[in-house]
Amino acid sequence: MRAADLTLAAGLLLAGLCVALAALGVIPVRRWFARLRAVPHLFAKSMVLWCVACGTAASVYAMRILSRTGHDPAALLGVILAFFGGELLLMCLKTVLKNGKDDNHD
């Protein structure tokens, strides 16, 4: 069995264990949800982290392609980074152009 298969199996086992413990009431899921609801702009913060993580992973993968094959993955990297950069740009424009419903922006 390969290491990737073992990692996937261990991850699925851990996820199933967490779901089972939450269903039994051992893990206080309602308190976690209450804490998550209290975090302001949680979606925007998580999207920024997601886009940065995916961009970093794509850059690392492009460097791997370049080092192993010698082919230039600039087009692939450009498309991936443009997608995630566009997502961040849309969120930035939404924040800048909003009408001030959440906060006291003038």
Side-chain angles (χ1 to χ4, degrees):
M1 205 179 248
R2 293 186 338 215
D5 294 336
L6 289 174
T7 305
L8 178 64
L12 289 174
L13 180 67
L14 183 62
L17 181 66
C18 288
V19 168
L21 290 174
L24 291 173
V26 176
I27 299 176
V29 178
R30 288 191 177 132
R31 275 193 287 172
W32 285 359
F33 284 140
R35 285 184 185 167
L36 286 177
R37 284 189 194 115
V39 176
H41 309 290
L42 179 64
F43 179 75
K45 291 176 184 177
S46 61
M47 281 302 295
V48 167
L49 287 175
W50 175 256
C51 288
V52 169
C54 287
T56 304
S59 298
V60 168
Y61 187 65
M63 291 301 294
R64 182 177 182 268
I65 290 172
L66 182 64
S67 68
R68 290 189 178 222
T69 64
H71 297 293
D72 187 21
L76 173 68
L77 187 60
V79 169
I80 292 171
L81 292 179
F83 176 76
F84 289 112
E87 183 71 31
L88 290 175
L89 180 66
L90 286 173
M91 281 189 9
C92 179
L93 287 175
K94 178 184 169 232
T95 303
V96 170
L97 298 176
K98 72 179 177 181
N99 294 328
K101 294 177 183 173
D102 294 339
D103 302 321
N104 294 327
H105 295 294
D106 292 327

